[in-house]
Amino acid sequence: MTAHLFDLPAIPAIPVTGESAAYPIGRIFCVGRNYAAHAAEMGHEVDREAPFYFTKSPANAILGGASIPYPPGTDDFHHEMELALAIGKPLFRATPERARDAVYAYGCALDMTRRDLQIRERTRQRPWDLGKDVENSAVFAPLTRAADWAPGDGKRIYLEVNGEVRQDATLAEMIWKVDEIVSHLSGFYHLRPGDLILTGTPAGVGPVVAGDAIAGGIDGLCPVALMLGAAE
Ligand code: MN
């Protein structure tokens, strides 16, 4: 094998409850505006034609429980609590029925966002990368295998900042369900193990500041936590 000129920082693998091996992070896909009340608070009506996506670099992923510095270039860093799913089998152009079978595990995740930059770029009809593909912005809690947990409508999804509830909804509010998202995305990508999909955030997103403790959960899954430190 050819030697490398330098080493890159390792991308963390996500622990899986009940497994001795962890789930390596390949690609990170994120669904936009998948809860109507969140779309409304962002000034949009829901597009029921098809889900849309953005991506985060795996290099920007971290495990829950970390403390991160307040990121550069923003005065409006926001929390977004999300259900993440992890693909466990190759999948291409799959029906929703086949799509569910390819989901290996689920977990709590945060899609941390430089909201001011996302909105500025959106307004200018530019890509969202500066707002969304932020260092340390894809935060993953340990995963739970699909054999042990399913995304039922009644399950609560919530997020607290310093113990105060900011986001509080149920998975019933998801516009595009897990099977539909995986099926749709498989029409554009050869999905494979290592692919993670964040399925969108409910209403109640808002800013966090240095010193804040973020804690998110979904009924039956391992919670996700994040501490925000001072800017560098
Ligand atoms: Mn999001």
Side-chain angles (χ1 to χ4, degrees):
M1 198 167 104
T2 309
H4 292 173
L5 287 167
F6 51 85
D7 292 326
L8 291 172
I11 295 168
I14 309 172
V16 182
T17 300
E19 292 272 17
S20 54
Y23 184 93
I25 299 175
R27 298 180 289 190
I28 303 170
F29 301 96
C30 305
V31 180
R33 294 174 210 147
N34 199 28
Y35 291 74
H38 171 62
E41 76 181 350
M42 294 295 293
H44 291 275
E45 286 190 25
V46 170
D47 176 0
R48 293 185 192 274
E49 237 168 70
F52 73 93
Y53 310 93
F54 56 92
T55 59
K56 291 189 181 233
S57 165
N60 290 333
I62 58 170
L63 298 181
S67 180
I68 65 166
Y70 194 91
T74 182
D75 295 311
D76 198 24
F77 193 44
H78 275 212
H79 56 78
E80 292 192 2
M81 175 63 205
E82 314 214 356
L83 170 67
L85 62 90
I87 297 292
K89 292 178 186 170
L91 198 73
F92 184 56
R93 290 182 176 158
T95 60
E97 292 71 31
R98 271 188 57 221
R100 175 68 75 98
D101 186 48
V103 178
Y104 163 71
Y106 297 94
C108 290
L110 299 172
D111 165 17
M112 300 302 295
T113 301
R114 285 190 281 229
R115 188 75 67 204
D116 43 0
L117 298 191
Q118 182 202 9
I119 290 171
R120 187 188 77 189
E121 299 305 282
R122 188 184 76 191
T123 305
R124 296 176 179 174
Q125 298 188 309
R126 291 174 179 170
W128 285 7
D129 297 45
L130 284 181
K132 284 293 193 181
D133 196 17
V134 181
E135 290 173 347
N136 305 313
S137 72
V139 186
F140 293 98
L143 299 171
T144 298
R145 288 174 299 204
D148 302 324
W149 189 89
D153 274 357
K155 296 206 159 107
R156 181 181 177 227
I157 177 170
Y158 59 95
L159 181 139
E160 299 176 356
V161 178
N162 304 327
E164 179 188 316
V165 176
R166 296 272 190 92
Q167 295 186 268
D168 197 356
T170 68
L171 297 182
E173 294 180 45
M174 288 175 69
I175 295 161
W176 302 102
K177 306 300 183 190
V178 164
D179 307 17
E180 295 169 322
I181 292 166
V182 174
S183 165
H184 184 260
L185 193 59
S186 80
F188 298 89
Y189 294 90
H190 292 78
L191 296 180
R192 59 193 185 219
D195 287 340
L196 290 145
I197 304 173
L198 274 62
T199 59
T201 197
V205 301
V208 283
V209 298
D212 279 351
I214 301 163
I218 298 171
D219 287 342
L221 295 179
C222 298
V224 62
L226 184 69
M227 288 289 305
L228 195 57
E232 292 173 312

